[in-house]
PDB file of all heavy atoms in Angstrom:
ATOM      1  N   SER B 448     -11.195 -13.710   1.402  1.00 88.00           N
ATOM      2  CA  SER B 448     -11.279 -12.230   0.926  1.00 88.00           C
ATOM      3  C   SER B 448     -11.776 -11.279   1.965  1.00 88.00           C
ATOM      4  O   SER B 448     -11.656 -10.051   1.696  1.00 88.00           O
ATOM      5  CB  SER B 448     -12.168 -12.318  -0.355  1.00 88.00           C
ATOM      6  OG  SER B 448     -13.457 -12.782   0.110  1.00 88.00           O
ATOM      7  N   SER B 460      -5.492 -10.915  12.575  1.00 97.00           N
ATOM      8  CA  SER B 460      -4.792 -12.049  12.154  1.00 97.00           C
ATOM      9  C   SER B 460      -5.215 -12.449  10.655  1.00 97.00           C
ATOM     10  O   SER B 460      -6.384 -12.677  10.397  1.00 97.00           O
ATOM     11  CB  SER B 460      -5.038 -13.223  13.128  1.00 97.00           C
ATOM     12  OG  SER B 460      -4.456 -14.420  12.628  1.00 97.00           O
ATOM     13  N   ARG B 468       5.237 -26.721  -2.515  1.00 89.00           N
ATOM     14  CA  ARG B 468       6.115 -26.980  -1.390  1.00 89.00           C
ATOM     15  C   ARG B 468       7.498 -26.477  -1.643  1.00 89.00           C
ATOM     16  O   ARG B 468       8.293 -26.275  -0.693  1.00 89.00           O
ATOM     17  CB  ARG B 468       6.205 -28.552  -1.160  1.00 89.00           C
ATOM     18  CG  ARG B 468       4.951 -29.046  -0.485  1.00 89.00           C
ATOM     19  CD  ARG B 468       5.243 -30.376   0.075  1.00 89.00           C
ATOM     20  NE  ARG B 468       4.117 -30.899   0.917  1.00 89.00           N
ATOM     21  CZ  ARG B 468       4.026 -30.620   2.140  1.00 89.00           C
ATOM     22  NH1 ARG B 468       4.936 -29.905   2.779  1.00 89.00           N
ATOM     23  NH2 ARG B 468       2.950 -31.012   2.830  1.00 89.00           N
ATOM     24  N   GLN B 471       9.992 -20.457  -1.821  1.00 85.00           N
ATOM     25  CA  GLN B 471      11.256 -20.178  -1.011  1.00 85.00           C
ATOM     26  C   GLN B 471      11.021 -18.855  -0.066  1.00 85.00           C
ATOM     27  O   GLN B 471      11.724 -18.795   0.956  1.00 85.00           O
ATOM     28  CB  GLN B 471      12.279 -20.006  -1.925  1.00 85.00           C
ATOM     29  CG  GLN B 471      12.748 -21.099  -2.624  1.00 85.00           C
ATOM     30  CD  GLN B 471      14.044 -20.870  -3.566  1.00 85.00           C
ATOM     31  OE1 GLN B 471      14.310 -19.749  -3.781  1.00 85.00           O
ATOM     32  NE2 GLN B 471      14.621 -21.986  -4.013  1.00 85.00           N
ATOM     33  N   TYR B 476       2.038  -7.712   1.554  1.00 98.00           N
ATOM     34  CA  TYR B 476       1.815  -6.347   0.989  1.00 98.00           C
ATOM     35  C   TYR B 476       0.536  -5.722   1.590  1.00 98.00           C
ATOM     36  O   TYR B 476      -0.486  -6.414   1.706  1.00 98.00           O
ATOM     37  CB  TYR B 476       1.699  -6.389  -0.526  1.00 98.00           C
ATOM     38  CG  TYR B 476       3.067  -6.685  -1.140  1.00 98.00           C
ATOM     39  CD1 TYR B 476       3.426  -7.981  -1.482  1.00 98.00           C
ATOM     40  CD2 TYR B 476       3.819  -5.601  -1.778  1.00 98.00           C
ATOM     41  CE1 TYR B 476       4.656  -8.231  -2.198  1.00 98.00           C
ATOM     42  CE2 TYR B 476       4.974  -5.932  -2.383  1.00 98.00           C
ATOM     43  CZ  TYR B 476       5.332  -7.186  -2.550  1.00 98.00           C
ATOM     44  OH  TYR B 476       6.506  -7.552  -3.279  1.00 98.00           O
ATOM     45  N   ARG B 477       0.625  -4.442   1.766  1.00 98.00           N
ATOM     46  CA  ARG B 477      -0.642  -3.719   2.165  1.00 98.00           C
ATOM     47  C   ARG B 477      -0.917  -2.804   1.025  1.00 98.00           C
ATOM     48  O   ARG B 477      -0.118  -2.179   0.424  1.00 98.00           O
ATOM     49  CB  ARG B 477      -0.362  -2.779   3.480  1.00 98.00           C
ATOM     50  CG  ARG B 477      -1.445  -1.920   3.791  1.00 98.00           C
ATOM     51  CD  ARG B 477      -1.113  -1.167   5.112  1.00 98.00           C
ATOM     52  NE  ARG B 477       0.023  -0.306   4.849  1.00 98.00           N
ATOM     53  CZ  ARG B 477       0.802   0.241   5.970  1.00 98.00           C
ATOM     54  NH1 ARG B 477       0.545  -0.110   7.089  1.00 98.00           N
ATOM     55  NH2 ARG B 477       1.825   0.920   5.536  1.00 98.00           N
ATOM     56  N   LYS B 482      -4.343   2.452  -4.671  1.00 95.00           N
ATOM     57  CA  LYS B 482      -2.876   2.663  -4.520  1.00 95.00           C
ATOM     58  C   LYS B 482      -2.184   1.489  -4.850  1.00 95.00           C
ATOM     59  O   LYS B 482      -2.650   0.401  -5.028  1.00 95.00           O
ATOM     60  CB  LYS B 482      -2.559   3.155  -3.041  1.00 95.00           C
ATOM     61  CG  LYS B 482      -3.289   4.366  -2.615  1.00 95.00           C
ATOM     62  CD  LYS B 482      -2.982   5.552  -3.546  1.00 95.00           C
ATOM     63  CE  LYS B 482      -3.596   6.864  -2.903  1.00 95.00           C
ATOM     64  NZ  LYS B 482      -3.301   8.108  -3.750  1.00 95.00           N
ATOM     65  N   GLN B 504       4.307 -15.037  10.393  1.00 98.00           N
ATOM     66  CA  GLN B 504       4.628 -16.444  10.823  1.00 98.00           C
ATOM     67  C   GLN B 504       4.596 -17.331   9.547  1.00 98.00           C
ATOM     68  O   GLN B 504       3.687 -17.297   8.750  1.00 98.00           O
ATOM     69  CB  GLN B 504       3.484 -16.821  11.784  1.00 98.00           C
ATOM     70  CG  GLN B 504       3.399 -15.948  12.969  1.00 98.00           C
ATOM     71  CD  GLN B 504       2.246 -16.391  13.916  1.00 98.00           C
ATOM     72  OE1 GLN B 504       1.154 -16.579  13.415  1.00 98.00           O
ATOM     73  NE2 GLN B 504       2.506 -16.422  15.200  1.00 98.00           N
ATOM     74  N   ASP B 518      -2.170  -4.113  18.229  1.00 98.00           N
ATOM     75  CA  ASP B 518      -2.650  -2.782  18.432  1.00 98.00           C
ATOM     76  C   ASP B 518      -3.206  -2.120  17.235  1.00 98.00           C
ATOM     77  O   ASP B 518      -2.776  -1.072  16.749  1.00 98.00           O
ATOM     78  CB  ASP B 518      -1.571  -1.890  19.042  1.00 98.00           C
ATOM     79  CG  ASP B 518      -1.971  -0.535  19.565  1.00 98.00           C
ATOM     80  OD1 ASP B 518      -3.167  -0.353  19.809  1.00 98.00           O
ATOM     81  OD2 ASP B 518      -1.132   0.285  19.515  1.00 98.00           O
ATOM     82  N   TYR B 527      -4.755  -6.668   2.359  1.00 98.00           N
ATOM     83  CA  TYR B 527      -3.487  -7.376   2.620  1.00 98.00           C
ATOM     84  C   TYR B 527      -3.235  -8.458   1.501  1.00 98.00           C
ATOM     85  O   TYR B 527      -4.025  -9.381   1.512  1.00 98.00           O
ATOM     86  CB  TYR B 527      -3.314  -7.726   3.978  1.00 98.00           C
ATOM     87  CG  TYR B 527      -3.279  -6.563   4.954  1.00 98.00           C
ATOM     88  CD1 TYR B 527      -4.359  -5.842   5.318  1.00 98.00           C
ATOM     89  CD2 TYR B 527      -2.012  -6.051   5.386  1.00 98.00           C
ATOM     90  CE1 TYR B 527      -4.256  -4.686   6.161  1.00 98.00           C
ATOM     91  CE2 TYR B 527      -1.879  -4.972   6.208  1.00 98.00           C
ATOM     92  CZ  TYR B 527      -3.009  -4.280   6.511  1.00 98.00           C
ATOM     93  OH  TYR B 527      -2.880  -3.115   7.317  1.00 98.00           O
TER      94      TYR B 527
END
Side-chain angles (χ1 to χ4, degrees):
Chain B
S448 62
S460 178
R468 284 194 171 275
Q471 296 183 346
Y476 288 82
R477 176 176 63 199
K482 304 296 185 182
Q504 300 174 316
D518 188 23
Y527 289 80

